[in-house]
C-alpha cells in the first residue's frame, strides 16, 4: 500500500498483501472493466494507499487483457510539457497496429516519442515558433491531444493511469481534461491525487469536470485503515498474532495510513525483539512531506504548528494563542493557514491538531531542543490557569520542561484522579512511568507499584499486563508485602484472563511472601485461591480459606478485601448449587451512585453466571448477564466485558443459537487473541461441542484434547464428556472410559469440587460408557452417587441428567419406565431452555419404544429439532433409525430430478464442506459410506462450479485427517 508521492508501486509491494480496500477495488474495477469509456478519480492523502490500489487493479485488468499504461507526475519536473503522459506512452510500441492503419494525427507524437518514429505516421509540418498564448500554441496542444486519443483508440481496450496529478504541469492537466471530456472508445482514464496539494485549491484537472454523456465516472476517496485491517497486516508482517497493545500503538501512530503501518511493521520485523515499539521511527517520506508543507507557512502559522506538536492533543484556539503568544486575530488567521495547508486538521468545533500521531511526532522531532523546552513551558503556563486543571497534560509538560521533582507530584496527582474516575488505563500509564523513574525512595516505589498492580488487574484485558507486572517484580528494593500484592494481581490475571493456570503458583508464592504481616493482602490472596476452579484445592479447603480470611483483623475501611472474600464465598456457594444463592444476590444493592458498592454487586452477579449455566439455571444466567452489562458503564470495570463475552457464548450454545455462537467465538478470538481461554476454557469447550454437532469429529477431537491438556478444571467437564462421546460413537467404550478417568479422574474431581450438580453431560456419559462395558453395577452405583450428591441442590440441569441416567439403566429391563424417564428429562430440558438436550432425550425415549410405529411417530419431533438447529449428525442418525425400521417411504415416482440445483442431501454435503469437514467426517455424520460421500462431493463441486478449497475458505480439516470417526452425541 505504498504511496510515496511519485512513481508507481509494483504489484505486491514490500511483501504485504492487499487489505482493507476491497470495496474501493471493486468500484474501480467495476468502472474500468464495465462499459467504457470511463473516468476514475482516486483521492487521498500521502501514504493512504492510492498507488497500491491502482497497482492491484492494474494486475487484474492486465489479466483481463486490458492494456494498462501508467505515468506519474513529480514535484521536481523537468521542463517537458505532457511529460507524464508521454512517459506512459513510451511502452506502447508493441501494441500499435501497422502505420498504414494508424490515423495520421498520431504523427504529432513523433517529436515527443523519438523511439517510436518507425511505428508512428510521419510527423506533421512544424508550426512557426510562437508563445503559449498564440494560435500556433493552441494548434500544437490540439495536435497532441488528438494524437494521444488516436493511439489510445488504436491499442484499446486500454487504461491510462496518471498518478499524483496534484503535481501535474498545466499542459498535462489540460491534456487530461480534454481527454476526459472526449474519451476514445473502449478506454478508461484513472487519476490519483491529493486534494490538499492541488495548486491554490483548484480542481484536479484545472477546471470543473463534467461527465460527458456515455462516459462512466467513479470518484473514490480513500480513508484510513481500521484495526481489523491493521491486525491482518501485522499478522502477516510479523508472522504471528500481534498483541492488542501493539495493534493499538500502530493504529495510533499511523492514523490508519498504510505507508506508516508498513514502515513500522518492517522496522518491527527487523528488530531483535520482534515486536518492540521502541524501534519505531517516523517514516522519512512522511517527515519530508510535512517539512515541505511547513516551510511554506507564514511565521504565525508555523508557530502554531510548533505549539500543536508540543501539545500532543487537539486544543482550542485560545490555548493555541496563549501558548504561541499571539493576539486572537493573528492566531485565528494562522490556524486557518495551517489547516488550509493540510499541516493541521480541525478535529472538532474548536479543536485543532494533527491528522495522526506520526505527523505530530515528525514536527516535534524537527524542533531544536531549546525551542521545544520553551514551548513546553508556555503550554504549561496556560494549562495551569484552566479550571479544572488537566493534570495528565500538566504532568507531561512538567516532565518535558525538566522539573523532575514537580513531575513526580503532578504524575501522582494525575494517577489518583484517573483512578477516582475509573480510568485505570491512564492510571496504569502514569504509574508505569513513575515506577521506572530511577532514584525513587522505597516508599515511593512501593506505593506506585502496588497501585499499578491493581490498575493493571482491573483494566481492559491484555496479555501484556502479565509481562508488565513481571517487570515490576524484578525491580530492586520492593518490600515483601508490596511484592506479594503485585504477585497476587499477576496470578489473578494469568488464571482468569490469560487462561494460564501457572498463576496458582504465583498466588501460593505471594501468600508466603505476605507472611501474615499484611492482613489485607493475605485476605485478598486467600480469596483468590478460594476462587480456584482447578483440582488443586477441594471445595472444603476453599471454604476454610474464606473463613480464615474473614477472621483476619481487617481495617474497618478495607472494603476491597471484604468484597473479594464475599466474591469467593458466593462463587463457592454457586459451585455447589446452594439454594441460598438467589436470595444472597437479590439482597445486593442496585440503586445509588456509589461506584464501589455497584462494583461489588456487579462482580458478585458476574461470579455466579457461569455456575448458573452449569447447573441449568439458564434464565437466571441470562438475567445476570443483562444486569451486569447494564452496570459495566457505571462502575468503570471494563475487564468484566471479557467474562460476560465468555458466558454469552456458552449461554447461546445451550439455547441452540449456534449461529450466534460461531459469530461470538470468532469475535472472541479477534478481540482477545492472546487469551488461552480460547483453547483451554469455556469458549474452547463450546467450540468443540459445536464442531461435534456439525459432524466435524476430527476438529472436535482436536479442540477437546487442547482443553483437556490444561488439566482438571471445572470448565473442562464439557470437553471431557464431548471427547468420551466421540469414542462412544466409534463403539470404543474403553477409550471413552479412559478419557473420563485416566490420567484426569473427572469423577473424583466432582467429589473434590462438590460439582455433581454441573450438567455438562459428564455423569450420563460415564453411565452410558459403563453400560457399554457391561459394568452394570458400577453404572447403577454411579447413578445413585449422583442422586445423593445433587439431593437438595438447586440444580434443574442435574435433575434432568438424573432422569437420563435412570432411563439408561432401565432401558434393557423396563422399556416403558425408561421411556418415561427420558420423557421427564426432555421436559426438564425444555423448561430450562435447551432444545438440543431436549431433542436428545426425546430421541432416547423414541428408541426405547418396542413398537416400531410408535418409535417412528416419536422420532418426528427430535428430527425436526435437530434439522432446525443444524445438528447434522444427530438428524442423520435418526434418519438411519427410520431406515432400519423400514419406515422411510421411497418416492413412488422415482428419484427427483434436480438438474443443476442441489438436492437436499447435496445441500447437507455442501454445508459440511463449508465448515471444513473431511470426507470421513461427512460419512460419519450422515451415516454413509466414504465412497458414497466422494460421489456426492464431486457432484456438489461440479454443480457449484467451485473447488473444495474455495468452498471451505480456509476451514480446518483435510481428507484423511486422523481423529474420531463418526459424530453425534449418542451412539
Amino acid at each position: 500500500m505504498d504511496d510515496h508521492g511519485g512513481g508507481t508501486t509494483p504489484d505486491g509491494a514490500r511483501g504485504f498483501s492487499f487489505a482493507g480496500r476491497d470495496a474501493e477495488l471493486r468500484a474501480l474495477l467495476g468502472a474500468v472493466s464495465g462499459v467504457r469509456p470511463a473516468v476514475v478519480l482516486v483521492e487521498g492523502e500521502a501514504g493512504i494507499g492510492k498507488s497500491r490500489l491502482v497497482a492491484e487493479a492494474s494486475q487484474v485488468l492486465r489479466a483481463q487483457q486490458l492494456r494498462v499504461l501508467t505515468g506519474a507526475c513529480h514535484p521536481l519536473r523537468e521542463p517537458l510539457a505532457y511529460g507524464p503522459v508521454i512517459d506512459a506512452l513510451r511502452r506502447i510500441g508493441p501494441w500499435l497496429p501497422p502505420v498504414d492503419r494508424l490515423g495520421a494525427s498520431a504523427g504529432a507524437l513523433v517529436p515527443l516519442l523519438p523511439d517510436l518514429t518507425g511505428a508512428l505516421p510521419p510527423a506533421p509540418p512544424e508550426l512557426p515558433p510562437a508563445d503559449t498564448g498564440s494560435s500556433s500554441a493552441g494548434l500544437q496542444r490540439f495536435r497532441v491531444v488528438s494524437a494521444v486519443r488516436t493511439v489510445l483508440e488504436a491499442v484499446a481496450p486500454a487504461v491510462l493511469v496518471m498518478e499524483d496529478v496534484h503535481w501535474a504541469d498545466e499542459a498535462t492537466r489540460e491534456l487530461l481534461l480534454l481527454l476526459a471530456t472526449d474519451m476514445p472508445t473502449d478506454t478508461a482514464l484513472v487519476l490519483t491525487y491529493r486534494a490538499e496539494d492541488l495548486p491554490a485549491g483548484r480542481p484536479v484537472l484545472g477546471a470543473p469536470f463534467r461527465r460527458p454523456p456515455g462516459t462512466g465516472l467513479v470518484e473514490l476517496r480513500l480513508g484510513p485503515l481500521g484495526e481489523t485491517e491493521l491486525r491482518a497486516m501485522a499478522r502477516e508482517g510479523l508472522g504471528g498474532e500481534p498483541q492488542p497493545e501493539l495493534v493499538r500503538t500502530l493504529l495510533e501512530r499511523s492514523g490508519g495510513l498504510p505507508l506508516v503501518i508498513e514502515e513500522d511493521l518492517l522496522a518491527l520485523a527487523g528488530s531483535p525483539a520482534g515486536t518492540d515499539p521502541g524501534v519505531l521511527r517516523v517514516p522519512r517520506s512522511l517527515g519530508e512531506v510535512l517539512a515541505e508543507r511547513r516551510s511554506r507557512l507564514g511565521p504565525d502559522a508555523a508557530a502554531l504548528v510548533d505549539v500543536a506538536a508540543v501539545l500532543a492533543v487537539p486544543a482550542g484556539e485560545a490555548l493555541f494563542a496563549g501558548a504561541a503568544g499571539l493576539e486572537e486575530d493573528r492566531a485565528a488567521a494562522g490556524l486557518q493557514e495551517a489547516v488550509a495547508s493540510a499541516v493541521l486538521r480541525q478535529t472538532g468545533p474548536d479543536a485543532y491538531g494533527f491528522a495522526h500521531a506520526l505527523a505530530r511526532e515528525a514536527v516535534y522531532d524537527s524542533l531544536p531542543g531549546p525551542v521545544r523546552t520553551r514551548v513546553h513551558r508556555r503550554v504549561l503556563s496556560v494549562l495551569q490557569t484552566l479550571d479544572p486543571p488537566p493534570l495528565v497534560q500538566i504532568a507531561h509538560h512538567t516532565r518535558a520542561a525538566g522539573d523532575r521533582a514537580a513531575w513526580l507530584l503532578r504524575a501522582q496527582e494525575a494517577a489518583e484522579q484517573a483512578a477516582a474516575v475509573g480510568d485505570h488505563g491512564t492510571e496504569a500509564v502514569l504509574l508505569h512511568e513513575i515506577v521506572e523513574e530511577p532514584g525513587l525512595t522505597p516508599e515511593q516505589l512501593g506505593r506506585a507499584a502496588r497501585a499499578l498492580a491493581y490498575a493493571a488487574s482491573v483494566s481492559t484485558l491484555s496479555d501484556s499486563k502479565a509481562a508488565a507486572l513481571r517487570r515490576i517484580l524484578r525491580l530492586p528494593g520492593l518490600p515483601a508485602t508490596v511484592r506479594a500484592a503485585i504477585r497476587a494481581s499477576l496470578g489473578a490475571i494469568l488464571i482468569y484472563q490469560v487462561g494460564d493456570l501457572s498463576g496458582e503458583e504465583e498466588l501460593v508464592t505471594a501468600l508466603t511472601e505476605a507472611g501474615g504481616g499484611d492482613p489485607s493482602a493475605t485476605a485478598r490472596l486467600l480469596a483468590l485461591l478460594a476462587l480456584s476452579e482447578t483440582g488443586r484445592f477441594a471445595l472444603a479447603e476453599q471454604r476454610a480459606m474464606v473463613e480464615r480470611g474473614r477472621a483476619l483483623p481487617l481495617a474497618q475501611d478495607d472494603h476491597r478485601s471484604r468484597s473479594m472474600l464475599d466474591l469467593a464465598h458466593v462463587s463457592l456457594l454457586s459451585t455447589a448449587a446452594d439454594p441460598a444463592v438467589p436470595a444472597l444476590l437479590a439482597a445486593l444493592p442496585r440503586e445509588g451512585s456509589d461506584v464501589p458498592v455497584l462494583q461489588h454487586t456487579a462482580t458478585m452477579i458476574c461470579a455466579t453466571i457461569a455456575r448458573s449455566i452449569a447447573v441449568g439455571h439458564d434464565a437466571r444466567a441470562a438475567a445476570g448477564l443483562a444486569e451486569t452489562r447494564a452496570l459495566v458503564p457505571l462502575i468503570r470495570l471494563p475487564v468484566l466485558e471479557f467474562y460476560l463475552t465468555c458466558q454469552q457464548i456458552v449461554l447461546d450454545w445451550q439455547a441452540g443459537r449456534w449461529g450466534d455462537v460461531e459469530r461470538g467465538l470468532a469475535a472472541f478470538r479477534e478481540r482477545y487473541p492472546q487469551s488461552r481461554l480460547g483453547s483451554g476454557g469455556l469458549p474452547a469447550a463450546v467450540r468443540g461441542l459445536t464442531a461435534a454437532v456439525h459432524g466435524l469429529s476430527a476438529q472436535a477431537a482436536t479442540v477437546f484434547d487442547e482443553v483437556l491438556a490444561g488439566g482438571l478444571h471445572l470448565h473442562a467437564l464439557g470437553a471431557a464428556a464431548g471427547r468420551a462421546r466421540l469414542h462412544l460413537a466409534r463403539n470404543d467404550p474403553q477409550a471413552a472410559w479412559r478419557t473420563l478417568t485416566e490420567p484426569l479422574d473427572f469423577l473424583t474431581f466432582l467429589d473434590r469440587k462438590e460439582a455433581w450438580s454441573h450438567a455438562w453431560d459428564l455423569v450420563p456419559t460415564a453411565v452410558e460408557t459403563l453400560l457399554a462395558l457391561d459394568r452394570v453395577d458400577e453404572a447403577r452405583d454411579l447413578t445413585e452417587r449422583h442422586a445423593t450428591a445433587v439431593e437438595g441442590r438447586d440444580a434443574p440441569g442435574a435433575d434432568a441428567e438424573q432422569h437420563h441416567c435412570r432411563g439408561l439403566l432401565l432401558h434393557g429391563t423396563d422399556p416403558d419406565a425408561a421411556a418415561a424417564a427420558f420423557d421427564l428429562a426432555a421436559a426438564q430440558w425444555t423448561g430450562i431452555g435447551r432444545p438440543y438436550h431436549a431433542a436428545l432425550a426425546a430421541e432416547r425415549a423414541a428408541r426405547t419404544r418396542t413398537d416400531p410405529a410408535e418409535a417412528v411417530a416419536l422420532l418426528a419431533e427430535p428430527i425436526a429439532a435437530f434439522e432446525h438447529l443444524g445438528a447434522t449428525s444427530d438428524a442423520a442418525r435418526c434418519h438411519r433409525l427410520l431406515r432400519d425400521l423400514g419406515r422411510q417411504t421411497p418416492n413412488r415416482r422415482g428419484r427427483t430430478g434436480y438438474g443443476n440445483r442441489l438436492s437436499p442431501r447435496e445441500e447437507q454435503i455442501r454445508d459440511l464442506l463449508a465448515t471444513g469437514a473431511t470426507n470421513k467426517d461427512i460419512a460419519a455424520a450422515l451415516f454413509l459410506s466414504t465412497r458414497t460421500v466422494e460421489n456426492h462431493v464431486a457432484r456438489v463441486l461440479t454443480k457449484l462450479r467451485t473447488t473444495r478449497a474455495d468452498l471451505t475458505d480456509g476451514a480446518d480439516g483435510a481428507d484423511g485427517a486422523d481423529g474420531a470417526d463418526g459424530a453425534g452425541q449418542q451412539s
Side-chain angles (χ1 to χ4, degrees):
M1 295 183 183
D2 249 2
D3 193 349
H4 292 281
T8 60
T9 304
D11 297 341
R14 307 151 76 93
F16 289 96
S17 60
F18 191 60
R21 300 285 185 227
D22 291 343
E24 292 89 343
L25 180 61
R26 284 195 299 270
L28 195 159
L29 291 174
V32 177
S33 302
V35 178
R36 290 178 290 272
V39 176
V40 180
L41 304 177
V42 183
E43 187 254 317
E45 61 182 302
I48 202 66
K50 302 184 295 296
S51 294
R52 181 63 185 275
L53 173 65
V54 170
E56 293 291 332
S58 297
Q59 189 172 13
V60 176
L61 295 171
R62 291 188 184 103
Q64 296 174 353
Q65 305 306 310
L66 273 74
R67 290 160 173 172
V68 182
L69 306 165
T70 303
C73 307
H74 302 279
L76 300 176
R77 297 183 298 272
E78 294 298 326
L80 173 64
Y82 322 114
V85 177
I86 299 305
D87 186 56
L89 297 179
R90 291 186 195 281
R91 294 170 288 280
I92 207 171
W95 301 330
L96 288 172
V99 174
D100 58 358
R101 290 170 48 194
L102 195 59
S105 60
L109 293 177
V110 170
L112 300 171
L113 294 167
D115 292 343
L116 298 181
T117 299
L120 294 173
E126 289 191 17
L127 295 170
D131 58 52
T132 56
S134 70
S135 59
S136 295
L139 180 57
Q140 179 61 26
R141 289 197 295 273
F142 175 76
R143 281 182 171 181
V144 173
V145 173
S146 297
V148 171
R149 289 190 78 261
T150 298
V151 295
L152 287 177
E153 197 163 21
V155 299
V159 181
L160 178 62
V161 177
M162 285 287 104
E163 293 237 54
D164 299 316
V165 179
H166 50 274
W167 283 324
D169 60 275
E170 287 305 312
T172 298
R173 203 181 302 274
E174 182 186 49
L175 186 152
L176 294 174
L177 176 62
L178 295 173
L179 192 63
T181 55
D182 186 18
M183 291 287 294
T185 304
D186 207 13
T187 61
L189 178 64
V190 179
L191 309 178
T192 74
Y193 68 99
R194 306 180 203 160
E196 64 271 21
D197 285 340
L198 289 170
R202 294 170 60 191
V204 62
L205 293 176
F209 172 62
R210 301 287 182 262
R211 180 179 66 86
T215 298
L217 175 63
V218 171
E219 298 182 63
L220 302 175
R221 189 182 191 285
L222 302 190
L225 298 182
E227 184 174 336
T228 300
E229 294 80 17
L230 194 153
R231 182 179 289 109
M233 293 177 66
R235 190 183 298 120
E236 179 183 28
L238 302 178
E241 191 66 40
Q243 294 186 358
E245 276 84 0
L246 178 62
V247 173
R248 285 192 287 272
T249 296
L250 293 175
L251 192 61
E252 181 182 356
R253 278 174 51 85
S254 66
L257 286 183
L259 165 66
V260 179
I261 296 169
E262 290 187 356
E263 293 280 359
D264 282 352
L265 290 174
L266 287 170
L268 288 171
S271 70
T275 56
D276 178 14
V279 305
L280 302 180
R281 299 291 182 266
V282 178
R284 174 187 53 77
S285 54
L286 179 63
E288 291 172 352
V289 167
L290 285 166
E292 192 274 331
R293 290 181 187 168
R294 187 176 176 279
S295 68
R296 299 198 302 257
L297 298 176
D300 290 350
L304 292 168
V305 169
D306 294 348
V307 170
V310 168
L311 273 170
V313 294
E317 187 177 313
L319 199 156
F320 270 101
L326 296 174
E327 297 294 332
E328 183 179 337
D329 291 345
R330 289 176 59 188
L335 279 174
Q336 185 175 351
E337 182 183 353
V339 170
S341 300
V343 179
L344 299 182
R345 177 176 294 180
Q346 185 168 2
T347 60
D350 183 31
Y352 301 87
F354 290 90
H356 47 80
L358 278 198
R360 185 203 70 82
E361 188 179 333
V363 175
Y364 187 84
D365 289 347
S366 71
L367 297 177
V371 173
R372 273 192 240 168
T373 303
R374 184 167 61 251
V375 179
H376 274 295
R377 288 174 179 161
R378 287 179 179 172
V379 168
L380 186 59
S381 66
V382 177
L383 293 177
Q384 288 171 334
T385 65
L386 301 180
D387 186 23
L391 295 179
V392 174
Q393 294 182 55
I394 288 173
H396 168 75
H397 294 292
T398 301
R399 189 180 198 185
D403 193 340
R404 178 182 178 276
W407 166 72
L408 278 173
L409 292 174
R410 300 290 86 80
Q412 189 64 49
E413 290 174 357
E416 291 170 358
Q417 182 192 54
V421 300
D423 186 357
H424 299 293
T426 298
E427 179 194 12
V429 170
L430 291 162
L431 291 170
H432 204 277
E433 291 177 352
I434 293 174
V435 299
E436 292 193 340
E437 182 71 12
L440 296 179
T441 66
E443 182 182 0
Q444 289 174 320
L445 178 61
R447 184 173 64 249
R450 186 191 291 264
L452 175 57
Y454 176 71
S457 68
V458 298
S459 61
T460 305
L461 171 70
S462 167
D463 187 45
S464 65
K465 293 194 304 189
L469 292 181
R470 285 194 171 102
R471 285 197 299 272
I472 297 172
L473 285 172
R474 290 195 292 268
L475 292 173
L478 282 177
T481 54
V482 174
R483 192 178 300 279
I486 296 169
R487 200 179 298 280
S489 295
L490 171 62
I493 289 169
L494 288 174
I495 297 170
Y496 300 112
Q497 297 180 24
V498 179
D500 183 351
L501 297 183
S502 68
E504 279 192 353
E505 290 297 332
E506 298 288 352
L507 295 179
V508 172
T509 302
L511 190 61
T512 302
E513 287 177 332
D518 184 346
S520 178
T522 301
R524 291 197 290 272
L525 281 163
L526 288 169
L528 286 170
L529 289 171
L531 286 166
S532 169
E533 296 168 324
T534 71
R536 179 169 187 154
F537 304 108
L539 206 73
E541 294 176 286
Q542 293 174 296
R543 288 196 191 95
M545 292 175 186
V546 173
E547 294 308 313
R548 177 184 164 191
R550 286 177 166 174
L552 291 169
L554 300 175
Q556 192 66 32
D557 61 349
D558 190 2
H559 303 297
R560 181 180 162 206
S561 297
R562 287 190 170 84
S563 178
M564 289 185 65
L565 289 167
D566 288 345
L567 183 68
H569 175 63
V570 76
S571 177
L572 296 176
L573 291 178
S574 299
T575 298
D578 194 301
V581 171
L584 191 155
L585 295 179
L588 294 170
R590 268 85 165 170
E591 306 297 329
S593 57
D594 191 326
V595 171
V597 170
L598 294 178
Q599 284 181 342
H600 177 69
T601 296
T603 52
M604 291 279 279
I605 296 172
C606 187
T608 65
I609 293 173
R611 303 293 180 271
S612 294
I613 299 173
V615 302
H617 275 301
D618 293 6
R620 183 189 298 171
L625 271 167
E627 191 171 13
T628 310
R629 277 215 170 90
L631 287 171
V632 165
L634 305 176
I635 62 176
R636 300 186 289 269
L637 274 181
V639 73
L640 288 186
E641 280 290 353
F642 170 76
Y643 303 112
L644 298 178
T645 300
C646 289
Q647 304 315 326
Q648 186 66 63
I649 291 171
V650 180
L651 193 59
D652 284 339
W653 195 88
Q654 303 288 22
R657 297 186 291 265
W658 294 346
D660 291 342
V661 168
E662 292 177 353
R663 287 187 289 272
L665 287 168
F668 180 86
R669 290 192 295 269
E670 180 80 8
R671 187 172 182 184
Y672 307 112
Q674 303 300 325
S675 174
R676 299 183 197 174
L677 292 177
S679 60
L682 274 177
V686 168
R687 186 157 55 94
L689 293 171
T690 302
V693 297
H694 288 325
L696 304 177
S697 54
Q699 288 185 27
T702 299
V703 176
F704 290 147
D705 288 344
E706 288 177 357
V707 176
L708 298 178
L712 288 164
H713 198 278
L714 287 174
H715 293 163
L717 298 178
R723 190 65 175 98
R725 282 283 177 203
L726 293 177
H727 288 305
L728 288 178
R730 294 179 58 190
N731 296 316
D732 190 353
Q734 292 284 0
W737 188 247
R738 286 195 298 272
T739 295
L740 298 174
T741 60
E742 301 174 12
L744 307 176
D745 189 345
F746 279 94
L747 298 176
T748 302
F749 175 75
L750 293 180
D751 266 337
R752 283 179 58 78
K753 303 303 282 191
E754 299 176 31
W756 289 94
S757 300
H758 287 223
W760 278 107
D761 196 34
L762 189 75
V763 176
T765 300
V767 170
E768 185 176 346
T769 302
L770 288 169
L771 290 173
L773 293 169
D774 201 25
R775 294 158 63 175
V776 179
D777 289 342
E778 291 177 71
R780 186 175 293 109
D781 290 345
L782 180 58
T783 300
E784 294 302 327
R785 186 176 166 192
H786 177 259
T788 301
V790 302
E791 186 177 0
R793 303 295 180 182
D794 185 15
D799 294 340
E801 291 196 337
Q802 177 62 203
H803 291 311
H804 195 104
C805 291
R806 296 286 178 191
L808 290 171
L809 287 171
L810 293 167
H811 178 79
T813 58
D814 191 343
D816 290 339
F822 288 129
D823 284 339
L824 287 172
Q828 184 82 346
W829 286 126
T830 299
I832 292 171
R834 299 190 183 179
Y836 179 63
H837 293 76
L840 288 173
E843 180 197 350
R844 281 287 191 181
R847 287 176 175 273
T848 306
R849 302 297 178 180
T850 56
D851 181 358
E854 189 178 5
V856 169
L858 291 175
L859 279 172
E861 185 176 344
I863 287 175
F866 290 142
E867 290 178 345
H868 174 74
L869 290 167
T872 307
S873 58
D874 300 283
R877 183 179 61 246
C878 291
H879 282 295
R880 184 182 69 170
L881 177 58
L882 290 178
R883 291 195 301 271
D884 292 344
L885 294 170
R887 295 307 177 98
Q888 279 197 323
T889 305
N891 189 340
R892 294 180 181 176
R893 294 174 296 178
R895 183 182 297 273
T896 301
Y898 290 94
N900 289 327
R901 294 182 297 113
L902 298 181
S903 69
R905 173 67 81 192
E906 289 167 347
E907 288 178 347
Q908 289 180 316
I909 301 286
R910 174 203 60 197
D911 293 343
L912 285 167
L913 284 172
T915 60
T918 68
N919 284 358
K920 289 172 64 178
D921 283 337
I922 297 170
L926 300 181
F927 296 92
L928 301 171
S929 70
T930 304
R931 186 66 176 173
T932 300
V933 169
E934 290 173 357
N935 293 333
H936 277 307
V937 168
R939 283 197 297 272
V940 168
L941 298 178
T942 299
K943 288 184 178 183
L944 295 178
R945 297 181 180 179
T946 187
T947 65
R948 189 174 195 134
D950 288 340
L951 190 60
T952 58
D953 193 26
D956 294 333
D959 284 343
D962 194 15
D965 292 338
Q969 296 300 294
Q970 296 183 9
S971 60

